[in-house]
Amino acid sequence: MRSRTVIWTALVIALVAAPVQAGPARDAVSYAGVDASTVRVFAVGTVGVESHEHEGRRFDMAVPMAGHGTGFAIDKQLILTANHVVVGARHVVIRHPGEGGLQAARVVYTSEEDDVAVLYVHANLKPIRMRADNQPLRVRQTVFAIGYPLDPTRTQAQSAKGIIAGERDNDRLQLDIALNPGNSGGPVVDENDQVIGLVSSRGDPEKGVQGIGVAIPNSRLRVAVAAARELVAAGSVTPISEHESLSAEVVDSLVTKGTLGSGVTKSRDTNYQQIIDELAERLGDADLLVFVSGNMWNAALALRYGGVRTVGERTLTEHEAHTLAGVLETASVQLARRGNEIDGAVMSRSSFVRVALAFNSTPNLELRDGGVTMPSLSMPSVRSRWTFQAYMHVRQNGESDSLGLGLELKDQLAGRRMFVSWGASLGRVDVALPDARMSVTHAYYAVEAGLGVRFPLGAKTQLELYAGIAPCYYSASVDDHMGGETSRAGLVFDHYRATASLAIGRLYLSTGVRAISDATWYEPLGVGINF
């Protein structure tokens, strides 16, 4: 199964941990045959955002999409794996067993329906044999799943023994076998080391399902391999570039050793600006820069809100932890900015980039010997947000009332609780008096400015209370339906507005009241969109 990063709560530890220790000089058991053709697959994708709240403070958390799975050689340059291992990946890397090294790979064929993907590598692989179609499978037949479960630093594939439990309605094979995250995409072989399928999924332990796995049968694998071979033969597959090959080492380090491998926070006498510059130059890829940026951002959140105080062999004071969080936040912003400069389209792929670029940080990234001395930084206090809103108007006038429409476009500086809002609005209401012999028309064109306060009600829901002044050009006209008409118009400064609004994600619902000179307008329902 693919291990997908949602949040690395203790990522700071990964940032500063010692490099992964090398294994023994020789393996205690021998690996050969099918094991030598089973590879580890690493994938790095984009970085999303999730909003969270901690002790009344709302903050955005990066969601780096990365993981590892298994693949196996089916041709000299083709590797089969599960589609969900590499779906959405910007970079894919395969690591050969033992000391075989790593290589950049390109996805050349995918089938979401079958959960199969074929990777192309510039190599001379030793293919695994597939069981012939004239050798039918049987229930309770012994099989083995081979792969790299759990630990992304494993250098040799591991085997799990089970049986074929039966065939599912969608022609997939149900296995009675113990599988774990990382097994996805690995081969399922018979006792003769011939492939009978590809690991697709396992039962969900949280739902009480254990010891059950699902495999894609050979019939579907052959379709994928044939399609990939046609693409390669037709010259449709772009060769692996030098840039991709250089990026492979970076991807391998990101997945196996944490965000920076050797760590940004080890030394106590380091010019961090220089480290960030060197890191940006070494990566040279917008998606990788954003991926590192997102993990550094989460490391800062772990220091600020996750209670992390031990970094490597050091125990930080609260001030040092918050200061280090500031260093990581600033470094995160700079890396995201570099990524956006390299490829402006990265912002459309990663919602985190927009969050990072809106962050208010300091350019000073230097810590001095003897401890942390840089002033701590805070989470961003403001963010610009536009709201387009349409709402009903009800104009009260004695025993008569009527409905109208108002439109609003405002730019809102959003802080944690308090916010400042300004913008423009307009509205019109036609009122027919009870005797139907006279009608009144009111209209305004206003600019607004005011203050508000928000109260979080959930991860994506909040209540906002707002009051402001709205100087406007106001007009009122009376038609007596007998040919007589009177009107007045002019600038009005005693125009006020108050609202209570519920923001649910991008949806904006409001109710309020508006007072213009001697007239009162109610706004019982407003609907808007934030963007």
Side-chain angles (χ1 to χ4, degrees), residues 8-20 256-266 295 298-300 302-303 306-314 316 324 328:
W8 296 356
T9 305
L11 185 60
V12 173
I13 299 174
L15 283 170
V16 298
V20 178
T256 61
K257 299 180 182 179
T259 302
L260 297 181
S262 59
V264 145
T265 55
K266 278 187 173 181
N295 282 289
N298 284 352
L303 283 165
V308 175
R309 292 294 181 267
T310 302
V311 179
E313 299 179 355
R314 296 177 57 195
L316 304 179
L324 180 55
L328 293 172

PDB file of all heavy atoms in Angstrom, residues 8-20 256-266 295 298-300 302-303 306-314 316 324 328:
ATOM      1  N   TRP A   8       3.178  15.339   9.046  1.00  0.00           N
ATOM      2  CA  TRP A   8       4.303  14.752   9.773  1.00  0.00           C
ATOM      3  C   TRP A   8       4.415  15.541  11.065  1.00  0.00           C
ATOM      4  O   TRP A   8       5.182  16.489  11.162  1.00  0.00           O
ATOM      5  CB  TRP A   8       5.584  14.814   8.967  1.00  0.00           C
ATOM      6  CG  TRP A   8       5.507  14.009   7.708  1.00  0.00           C
ATOM      7  CD1 TRP A   8       4.490  13.224   7.296  1.00  0.00           C
ATOM      8  CD2 TRP A   8       6.501  13.926   6.682  1.00  0.00           C
ATOM      9  NE1 TRP A   8       4.769  12.657   6.099  1.00  0.00           N
ATOM     10  CE2 TRP A   8       5.996  13.070   5.689  1.00  0.00           C
ATOM     11  CE3 TRP A   8       7.766  14.494   6.514  1.00  0.00           C
ATOM     12  CZ2 TRP A   8       6.706  12.758   4.553  1.00  0.00           C
ATOM     13  CZ3 TRP A   8       8.465  14.190   5.372  1.00  0.00           C
ATOM     14  CH2 TRP A   8       7.947  13.326   4.409  1.00  0.00           C
ATOM     15  N   THR A   9       3.645  15.130  12.059  1.00  0.00           N
ATOM     16  CA  THR A   9       3.555  15.896  13.290  1.00  0.00           C
ATOM     17  C   THR A   9       4.914  16.058  13.945  1.00  0.00           C
ATOM     18  O   THR A   9       5.243  17.112  14.476  1.00  0.00           O
ATOM     19  CB  THR A   9       2.603  15.182  14.261  1.00  0.00           C
ATOM     20  OG1 THR A   9       1.364  14.971  13.612  1.00  0.00           O
ATOM     21  CG2 THR A   9       2.375  16.027  15.502  1.00  0.00           C
ATOM     22  N   ALA A  10       5.713  15.029  13.900  1.00  0.00           N
ATOM     23  CA  ALA A  10       7.034  15.114  14.511  1.00  0.00           C
ATOM     24  C   ALA A  10       8.104  15.301  13.459  1.00  0.00           C
ATOM     25  O   ALA A  10       9.209  14.776  13.556  1.00  0.00           O
ATOM     26  CB  ALA A  10       7.321  13.861  15.321  1.00  0.00           C
ATOM     27  N   LEU A  11       7.798  16.091  12.444  1.00  0.00           N
ATOM     28  CA  LEU A  11       8.736  16.244  11.334  1.00  0.00           C
ATOM     29  C   LEU A  11      10.031  16.905  11.755  1.00  0.00           C
ATOM     30  O   LEU A  11      11.071  16.675  11.151  1.00  0.00           O
ATOM     31  CB  LEU A  11       8.070  17.067  10.228  1.00  0.00           C
ATOM     32  CG  LEU A  11       8.872  17.216   8.944  1.00  0.00           C
ATOM     33  CD1 LEU A  11       9.146  15.844   8.350  1.00  0.00           C
ATOM     34  CD2 LEU A  11       8.132  18.073   7.966  1.00  0.00           C
ATOM     35  N   VAL A  12       9.984  17.727  12.792  1.00  0.00           N
ATOM     36  CA  VAL A  12      11.217  18.364  13.255  1.00  0.00           C
ATOM     37  C   VAL A  12      12.259  17.321  13.588  1.00  0.00           C
ATOM     38  O   VAL A  12      13.448  17.476  13.319  1.00  0.00           O
ATOM     39  CB  VAL A  12      10.939  19.236  14.488  1.00  0.00           C
ATOM     40  CG1 VAL A  12      12.230  19.764  15.082  1.00  0.00           C
ATOM     41  CG2 VAL A  12      10.044  20.395  14.100  1.00  0.00           C
ATOM     42  N   ILE A  13      11.816  16.222  14.186  1.00  0.00           N
ATOM     43  CA  ILE A  13      12.748  15.155  14.529  1.00  0.00           C
ATOM     44  C   ILE A  13      13.377  14.586  13.268  1.00  0.00           C
ATOM     45  O   ILE A  13      14.576  14.306  13.219  1.00  0.00           O
ATOM     46  CB  ILE A  13      12.025  14.056  15.328  1.00  0.00           C
ATOM     47  CG1 ILE A  13      11.485  14.658  16.630  1.00  0.00           C
ATOM     48  CG2 ILE A  13      12.949  12.891  15.617  1.00  0.00           C
ATOM     49  CD1 ILE A  13      10.630  13.700  17.441  1.00  0.00           C
ATOM     50  N   ALA A  14      12.546  14.424  12.227  1.00  0.00           N
ATOM     51  CA  ALA A  14      13.083  13.914  10.966  1.00  0.00           C
ATOM     52  C   ALA A  14      14.052  14.890  10.339  1.00  0.00           C
ATOM     53  O   ALA A  14      15.027  14.504   9.690  1.00  0.00           O
ATOM     54  CB  ALA A  14      11.940  13.619   9.992  1.00  0.00           C
ATOM     55  N   LEU A  15      13.811  16.175  10.538  1.00  0.00           N
ATOM     56  CA  LEU A  15      14.677  17.195   9.950  1.00  0.00           C
ATOM     57  C   LEU A  15      16.082  17.147  10.527  1.00  0.00           C
ATOM     58  O   LEU A  15      17.057  17.451   9.858  1.00  0.00           O
ATOM     59  CB  LEU A  15      14.085  18.580  10.194  1.00  0.00           C
ATOM     60  CG  LEU A  15      12.915  18.994   9.303  1.00  0.00           C
ATOM     61  CD1 LEU A  15      12.297  20.259   9.843  1.00  0.00           C
ATOM     62  CD2 LEU A  15      13.372  19.194   7.896  1.00  0.00           C
ATOM     63  N   VAL A  16      16.177  16.806  11.811  1.00  0.00           N
ATOM     64  CA  VAL A  16      17.471  16.909  12.462  1.00  0.00           C
ATOM     65  C   VAL A  16      18.021  15.552  12.875  1.00  0.00           C
ATOM     66  O   VAL A  16      19.055  15.475  13.523  1.00  0.00           O
ATOM     67  CB  VAL A  16      17.363  17.804  13.712  1.00  0.00           C
ATOM     68  CG1 VAL A  16      16.943  19.202  13.326  1.00  0.00           C
ATOM     69  CG2 VAL A  16      16.379  17.216  14.718  1.00  0.00           C
ATOM     70  N   ALA A  17      17.324  14.490  12.530  1.00  0.00           N
ATOM     71  CA  ALA A  17      17.802  13.171  12.931  1.00  0.00           C
ATOM     72  C   ALA A  17      19.097  12.844  12.224  1.00  0.00           C
ATOM     73  O   ALA A  17      19.405  13.329  11.147  1.00  0.00           O
ATOM     74  CB  ALA A  17      16.737  12.121  12.581  1.00  0.00           C
ATOM     75  N   ALA A  18      19.869  11.972  12.844  1.00  0.00           N
ATOM     76  CA  ALA A  18      21.117  11.544  12.231  1.00  0.00           C
ATOM     77  C   ALA A  18      20.813  10.770  10.963  1.00  0.00           C
ATOM     78  O   ALA A  18      19.750  10.182  10.817  1.00  0.00           O
ATOM     79  CB  ALA A  18      21.884  10.654  13.206  1.00  0.00           C
ATOM     80  N   PRO A  19      21.735  10.779   9.985  1.00  0.00           N
ATOM     81  CA  PRO A  19      21.504  10.042   8.755  1.00  0.00           C
ATOM     82  C   PRO A  19      21.203   8.580   9.039  1.00  0.00           C
ATOM     83  O   PRO A  19      21.634   8.019  10.041  1.00  0.00           O
ATOM     84  CB  PRO A  19      22.839  10.196   7.999  1.00  0.00           C
ATOM     85  CG  PRO A  19      23.425  11.460   8.547  1.00  0.00           C
ATOM     86  CD  PRO A  19      23.018  11.499   9.983  1.00  0.00           C
ATOM     87  N   VAL A  20      20.432   7.963   8.156  1.00  0.00           N
ATOM     88  CA  VAL A  20      20.063   6.569   8.332  1.00  0.00           C
ATOM     89  C   VAL A  20      21.310   5.707   8.401  1.00  0.00           C
ATOM     90  O   VAL A  20      22.217   5.812   7.579  1.00  0.00           O
ATOM     91  CB  VAL A  20      19.164   6.120   7.147  1.00  0.00           C
ATOM     92  CG1 VAL A  20      18.814   4.660   7.290  1.00  0.00           C
ATOM     93  CG2 VAL A  20      17.919   6.988   7.081  1.00  0.00           C
ATOM     94  N   THR A 256      13.167   8.870   2.331  1.00  0.00           N
ATOM     95  CA  THR A 256      13.812   7.964   3.276  1.00  0.00           C
ATOM     96  C   THR A 256      14.409   8.647   4.492  1.00  0.00           C
ATOM     97  O   THR A 256      14.500   8.044   5.565  1.00  0.00           O
ATOM     98  CB  THR A 256      14.933   7.163   2.582  1.00  0.00           C
ATOM     99  OG1 THR A 256      15.923   8.076   2.074  1.00  0.00           O
ATOM    100  CG2 THR A 256      14.377   6.329   1.439  1.00  0.00           C
ATOM    101  N   LYS A 257      14.818   9.927   4.360  1.00  0.00           N
ATOM    102  CA  LYS A 257      15.540  10.561   5.453  1.00  0.00           C
ATOM    103  C   LYS A 257      14.842  11.786   6.025  1.00  0.00           C
ATOM    104  O   LYS A 257      15.361  12.427   6.933  1.00  0.00           O
ATOM    105  CB  LYS A 257      16.941  10.980   4.980  1.00  0.00           C
ATOM    106  CG  LYS A 257      17.801   9.814   4.522  1.00  0.00           C
ATOM    107  CD  LYS A 257      19.164  10.300   4.061  1.00  0.00           C
ATOM    108  CE  LYS A 257      20.015   9.144   3.545  1.00  0.00           C
ATOM    109  NZ  LYS A 257      21.334   9.602   3.065  1.00  0.00           N
ATOM    110  N   GLY A 258      13.694  12.139   5.510  1.00  0.00           N
ATOM    111  CA  GLY A 258      13.046  13.356   5.979  1.00  0.00           C
ATOM    112  C   GLY A 258      13.316  14.491   5.012  1.00  0.00           C
ATOM    113  O   GLY A 258      13.972  14.327   3.989  1.00  0.00           O
ATOM    114  N   THR A 259      12.851  15.655   5.346  1.00  0.00           N
ATOM    115  CA  THR A 259      12.855  16.762   4.395  1.00  0.00           C
ATOM    116  C   THR A 259      14.236  17.152   3.908  1.00  0.00           C
ATOM    117  O   THR A 259      14.455  17.355   2.731  1.00  0.00           O
ATOM    118  CB  THR A 259      12.183  17.980   5.028  1.00  0.00           C
ATOM    119  OG1 THR A 259      10.858  17.609   5.392  1.00  0.00           O
ATOM    120  CG2 THR A 259      12.112  19.115   4.057  1.00  0.00           C
ATOM    121  N   LEU A 260      15.188  17.276   4.795  1.00  0.00           N
ATOM    122  CA  LEU A 260      16.500  17.742   4.364  1.00  0.00           C
ATOM    123  C   LEU A 260      17.616  16.736   4.600  1.00  0.00           C
ATOM    124  O   LEU A 260      18.777  17.045   4.397  1.00  0.00           O
ATOM    125  CB  LEU A 260      16.852  19.053   5.096  1.00  0.00           C
ATOM    126  CG  LEU A 260      15.929  20.224   4.800  1.00  0.00           C
ATOM    127  CD1 LEU A 260      16.405  21.445   5.557  1.00  0.00           C
ATOM    128  CD2 LEU A 260      15.895  20.516   3.335  1.00  0.00           C
ATOM    129  N   GLY A 261      17.284  15.545   5.052  1.00  0.00           N
ATOM    130  CA  GLY A 261      18.316  14.550   5.272  1.00  0.00           C
ATOM    131  C   GLY A 261      19.232  14.942   6.405  1.00  0.00           C
ATOM    132  O   GLY A 261      19.041  14.596   7.561  1.00  0.00           O
ATOM    133  N   SER A 262      20.265  15.716   6.110  1.00  0.00           N
ATOM    134  CA  SER A 262      21.227  16.115   7.130  1.00  0.00           C
ATOM    135  C   SER A 262      20.659  17.161   8.073  1.00  0.00           C
ATOM    136  O   SER A 262      21.170  17.362   9.157  1.00  0.00           O
ATOM    137  CB  SER A 262      22.492  16.671   6.467  1.00  0.00           C
ATOM    138  OG  SER A 262      22.178  17.784   5.660  1.00  0.00           O
ATOM    139  N   GLY A 263      19.611  17.851   7.656  1.00  0.00           N
ATOM    140  CA  GLY A 263      18.904  18.764   8.559  1.00  0.00           C
ATOM    141  C   GLY A 263      19.348  20.209   8.431  1.00  0.00           C
ATOM    142  O   GLY A 263      20.498  20.524   8.247  1.00  0.00           O
ATOM    143  N   VAL A 264      18.364  21.121   8.580  1.00  0.00           N
ATOM    144  CA  VAL A 264      18.641  22.546   8.534  1.00  0.00           C
ATOM    145  C   VAL A 264      19.013  23.057   9.912  1.00  0.00           C
ATOM    146  O   VAL A 264      19.532  24.139  10.047  1.00  0.00           O
ATOM    147  CB  VAL A 264      17.389  23.277   8.018  1.00  0.00           C
ATOM    148  CG1 VAL A 264      17.236  24.622   8.677  1.00  0.00           C
ATOM    149  CG2 VAL A 264      17.449  23.485   6.545  1.00  0.00           C
ATOM    150  N   THR A 265      18.709  22.285  10.961  1.00  0.00           N
ATOM    151  CA  THR A 265      18.812  22.841  12.302  1.00  0.00           C
ATOM    152  C   THR A 265      19.879  22.169  13.157  1.00  0.00           C
ATOM    153  O   THR A 265      19.812  22.218  14.370  1.00  0.00           O
ATOM    154  CB  THR A 265      17.454  22.682  13.004  1.00  0.00           C
ATOM    155  OG1 THR A 265      17.071  21.313  12.963  1.00  0.00           O
ATOM    156  CG2 THR A 265      16.402  23.517  12.322  1.00  0.00           C
ATOM    157  N   LYS A 266      20.873  21.557  12.572  1.00  0.00           N
ATOM    158  CA  LYS A 266      21.886  20.865  13.367  1.00  0.00           C
ATOM    159  C   LYS A 266      22.885  21.826  13.992  1.00  0.00           C
ATOM    160  O   LYS A 266      23.200  21.736  15.164  1.00  0.00           O
ATOM    161  CB  LYS A 266      22.635  19.859  12.496  1.00  0.00           C
ATOM    162  CG  LYS A 266      21.919  18.537  12.331  1.00  0.00           C
ATOM    163  CD  LYS A 266      22.831  17.575  11.612  1.00  0.00           C
ATOM    164  CE  LYS A 266      22.202  16.195  11.589  1.00  0.00           C
ATOM    165  NZ  LYS A 266      23.058  15.221  10.935  1.00  0.00           N
ATOM    166  N   ASN A 295       6.988  20.657   4.021  1.00  0.00           N
ATOM    167  CA  ASN A 295       7.407  19.891   5.189  1.00  0.00           C
ATOM    168  C   ASN A 295       8.083  20.766   6.231  1.00  0.00           C
ATOM    169  O   ASN A 295       7.938  20.552   7.442  1.00  0.00           O
ATOM    170  CB  ASN A 295       8.329  18.754   4.748  1.00  0.00           C
ATOM    171  CG  ASN A 295       7.558  17.592   4.156  1.00  0.00           C
ATOM    172  OD1 ASN A 295       6.875  16.863   4.859  1.00  0.00           O
ATOM    173  ND2 ASN A 295       7.644  17.427   2.849  1.00  0.00           N
ATOM    174  N   ASN A 298       5.298  22.471   8.134  1.00  0.00           N
ATOM    175  CA  ASN A 298       4.704  21.605   9.144  1.00  0.00           C
ATOM    176  C   ASN A 298       5.631  21.404  10.338  1.00  0.00           C
ATOM    177  O   ASN A 298       5.175  21.239  11.470  1.00  0.00           O
ATOM    178  CB  ASN A 298       4.345  20.256   8.534  1.00  0.00           C
ATOM    179  CG  ASN A 298       3.085  20.344   7.690  1.00  0.00           C
ATOM    180  OD1 ASN A 298       2.415  21.370   7.676  1.00  0.00           O
ATOM    181  ND2 ASN A 298       2.773  19.284   6.987  1.00  0.00           N
ATOM    182  N   ALA A 299       6.939  21.400  10.088  1.00  0.00           N
ATOM    183  CA  ALA A 299       7.894  21.301  11.187  1.00  0.00           C
ATOM    184  C   ALA A 299       7.756  22.500  12.110  1.00  0.00           C
ATOM    185  O   ALA A 299       7.807  22.372  13.343  1.00  0.00           O
ATOM    186  CB  ALA A 299       9.316  21.205  10.638  1.00  0.00           C
ATOM    187  N   ALA A 300       7.565  23.677  11.520  1.00  0.00           N
ATOM    188  CA  ALA A 300       7.368  24.883  12.326  1.00  0.00           C
ATOM    189  C   ALA A 300       6.086  24.785  13.139  1.00  0.00           C
ATOM    190  O   ALA A 300       6.043  25.178  14.315  1.00  0.00           O
ATOM    191  CB  ALA A 300       7.336  26.114  11.421  1.00  0.00           C
ATOM    192  N   ALA A 302       4.726  22.042  14.231  1.00  0.00           N
ATOM    193  CA  ALA A 302       4.961  21.088  15.315  1.00  0.00           C
ATOM    194  C   ALA A 302       5.659  21.762  16.480  1.00  0.00           C
ATOM    195  O   ALA A 302       5.387  21.472  17.653  1.00  0.00           O
ATOM    196  CB  ALA A 302       5.789  19.910  14.798  1.00  0.00           C
ATOM    197  N   LEU A 303       6.575  22.679  16.191  1.00  0.00           N
ATOM    198  CA  LEU A 303       7.260  23.416  17.248  1.00  0.00           C
ATOM    199  C   LEU A 303       6.315  24.403  17.937  1.00  0.00           C
ATOM    200  O   LEU A 303       6.343  24.560  19.157  1.00  0.00           O
ATOM    201  CB  LEU A 303       8.449  24.177  16.658  1.00  0.00           C
ATOM    202  CG  LEU A 303       9.695  23.342  16.335  1.00  0.00           C
ATOM    203  CD1 LEU A 303      10.627  24.127  15.439  1.00  0.00           C
ATOM    204  CD2 LEU A 303      10.403  22.920  17.615  1.00  0.00           C
ATOM    205  N   GLY A 306       2.529  21.802  18.422  1.00  0.00           N
ATOM    206  CA  GLY A 306       2.536  20.366  18.700  1.00  0.00           C
ATOM    207  C   GLY A 306       3.289  19.969  19.947  1.00  0.00           C
ATOM    208  O   GLY A 306       3.405  18.786  20.259  1.00  0.00           O
ATOM    209  N   GLY A 307       3.858  20.935  20.672  1.00  0.00           N
ATOM    210  CA  GLY A 307       4.566  20.618  21.908  1.00  0.00           C
ATOM    211  C   GLY A 307       5.927  20.003  21.702  1.00  0.00           C
ATOM    212  O   GLY A 307       6.525  19.479  22.650  1.00  0.00           O
ATOM    213  N   VAL A 308       6.469  20.032  20.475  1.00  0.00           N
ATOM    214  CA  VAL A 308       7.801  19.468  20.218  1.00  0.00           C
ATOM    215  C   VAL A 308       8.853  20.398  20.802  1.00  0.00           C
ATOM    216  O   VAL A 308       8.887  21.583  20.483  1.00  0.00           O
ATOM    217  CB  VAL A 308       8.034  19.277  18.701  1.00  0.00           C
ATOM    218  CG1 VAL A 308       9.455  18.807  18.441  1.00  0.00           C
ATOM    219  CG2 VAL A 308       7.029  18.280  18.142  1.00  0.00           C
ATOM    220  N   ARG A 309       9.697  19.870  21.660  1.00  0.00           N
ATOM    221  CA  ARG A 309      10.752  20.672  22.274  1.00  0.00           C
ATOM    222  C   ARG A 309      12.115  20.024  22.157  1.00  0.00           C
ATOM    223  O   ARG A 309      13.140  20.666  22.372  1.00  0.00           O
ATOM    224  CB  ARG A 309      10.437  20.902  23.761  1.00  0.00           C
ATOM    225  CG  ARG A 309       9.219  21.794  24.004  1.00  0.00           C
ATOM    226  CD  ARG A 309       9.480  23.206  23.512  1.00  0.00           C
ATOM    227  NE  ARG A 309       8.331  24.091  23.746  1.00  0.00           N
ATOM    228  CZ  ARG A 309       7.390  24.314  22.860  1.00  0.00           C
ATOM    229  NH1 ARG A 309       7.451  23.716  21.675  1.00  0.00           N
ATOM    230  NH2 ARG A 309       6.389  25.126  23.130  1.00  0.00           N
ATOM    231  N   THR A 310      12.166  18.725  21.846  1.00  0.00           N
ATOM    232  CA  THR A 310      13.430  18.016  21.706  1.00  0.00           C
ATOM    233  C   THR A 310      13.796  17.936  20.237  1.00  0.00           C
ATOM    234  O   THR A 310      13.043  17.396  19.424  1.00  0.00           O
ATOM    235  CB  THR A 310      13.363  16.605  22.295  1.00  0.00           C
ATOM    236  OG1 THR A 310      13.004  16.703  23.671  1.00  0.00           O
ATOM    237  CG2 THR A 310      14.707  15.902  22.174  1.00  0.00           C
ATOM    238  N   VAL A 311      14.934  18.495  19.881  1.00  0.00           N
ATOM    239  CA  VAL A 311      15.414  18.507  18.503  1.00  0.00           C
ATOM    240  C   VAL A 311      16.805  17.905  18.498  1.00  0.00           C
ATOM    241  O   VAL A 311      17.749  18.485  19.028  1.00  0.00           O
ATOM    242  CB  VAL A 311      15.439  19.938  17.928  1.00  0.00           C
ATOM    243  CG1 VAL A 311      15.970  19.927  16.513  1.00  0.00           C
ATOM    244  CG2 VAL A 311      14.046  20.543  17.974  1.00  0.00           C
ATOM    245  N   GLY A 312      16.924  16.714  17.905  1.00  0.00           N
ATOM    246  CA  GLY A 312      18.209  16.021  17.962  1.00  0.00           C
ATOM    247  C   GLY A 312      18.545  15.685  19.402  1.00  0.00           C
ATOM    248  O   GLY A 312      17.778  15.027  20.105  1.00  0.00           O
ATOM    249  N   GLU A 313      19.697  16.155  19.872  1.00  0.00           N
ATOM    250  CA  GLU A 313      20.105  15.931  21.246  1.00  0.00           C
ATOM    251  C   GLU A 313      19.837  17.139  22.122  1.00  0.00           C
ATOM    252  O   GLU A 313      20.240  17.177  23.284  1.00  0.00           O
ATOM    253  CB  GLU A 313      21.603  15.584  21.285  1.00  0.00           C
ATOM    254  CG  GLU A 313      21.946  14.307  20.518  1.00  0.00           C
ATOM    255  CD  GLU A 313      23.432  14.014  20.557  1.00  0.00           C
ATOM    256  OE1 GLU A 313      24.186  14.859  21.093  1.00  0.00           O
ATOM    257  OE2 GLU A 313      23.828  12.940  20.058  1.00  0.00           O
ATOM    258  N   ARG A 314      19.164  18.147  21.588  1.00  0.00           N
ATOM    259  CA  ARG A 314      18.921  19.377  22.336  1.00  0.00           C
ATOM    260  C   ARG A 314      17.486  19.454  22.810  1.00  0.00           C
ATOM    261  O   ARG A 314      16.561  19.031  22.121  1.00  0.00           O
ATOM    262  CB  ARG A 314      19.216  20.598  21.456  1.00  0.00           C
ATOM    263  CG  ARG A 314      20.661  20.750  21.026  1.00  0.00           C
ATOM    264  CD  ARG A 314      20.788  21.961  20.110  1.00  0.00           C
ATOM    265  NE  ARG A 314      20.313  23.168  20.765  1.00  0.00           N
ATOM    266  CZ  ARG A 314      20.048  24.301  20.118  1.00  0.00           C
ATOM    267  NH1 ARG A 314      20.198  24.354  18.812  1.00  0.00           N
ATOM    268  NH2 ARG A 314      19.632  25.363  20.775  1.00  0.00           N
ATOM    269  N   LEU A 316      14.875  22.299  23.727  1.00  0.00           N
ATOM    270  CA  LEU A 316      14.714  23.729  23.532  1.00  0.00           C
ATOM    271  C   LEU A 316      13.805  24.332  24.587  1.00  0.00           C
ATOM    272  O   LEU A 316      12.879  23.691  25.079  1.00  0.00           O
ATOM    273  CB  LEU A 316      14.112  24.005  22.153  1.00  0.00           C
ATOM    274  CG  LEU A 316      14.836  23.438  20.931  1.00  0.00           C
ATOM    275  CD1 LEU A 316      14.072  23.805  19.673  1.00  0.00           C
ATOM    276  CD2 LEU A 316      16.259  23.934  20.855  1.00  0.00           C
ATOM    277  N   LEU A 324      12.989  28.939  16.511  1.00  0.00           N
ATOM    278  CA  LEU A 324      13.329  27.967  15.473  1.00  0.00           C
ATOM    279  C   LEU A 324      12.157  27.788  14.517  1.00  0.00           C
ATOM    280  O   LEU A 324      12.341  27.642  13.310  1.00  0.00           O
ATOM    281  CB  LEU A 324      13.712  26.629  16.111  1.00  0.00           C
ATOM    282  CG  LEU A 324      14.105  25.515  15.145  1.00  0.00           C
ATOM    283  CD1 LEU A 324      15.238  25.955  14.230  1.00  0.00           C
ATOM    284  CD2 LEU A 324      14.499  24.259  15.927  1.00  0.00           C
ATOM    285  N   LEU A 328      12.212  28.160  10.396  1.00  0.00           N
ATOM    286  CA  LEU A 328      11.664  27.195   9.449  1.00  0.00           C
ATOM    287  C   LEU A 328      10.560  27.817   8.603  1.00  0.00           C
ATOM    288  O   LEU A 328      10.453  27.539   7.400  1.00  0.00           O
ATOM    289  CB  LEU A 328      11.137  25.974  10.199  1.00  0.00           C
ATOM    290  CG  LEU A 328      12.205  25.113  10.889  1.00  0.00           C
ATOM    291  CD1 LEU A 328      11.549  24.059  11.763  1.00  0.00           C
ATOM    292  CD2 LEU A 328      13.111  24.450   9.859  1.00  0.00           C
TER     293      LEU A 328
END
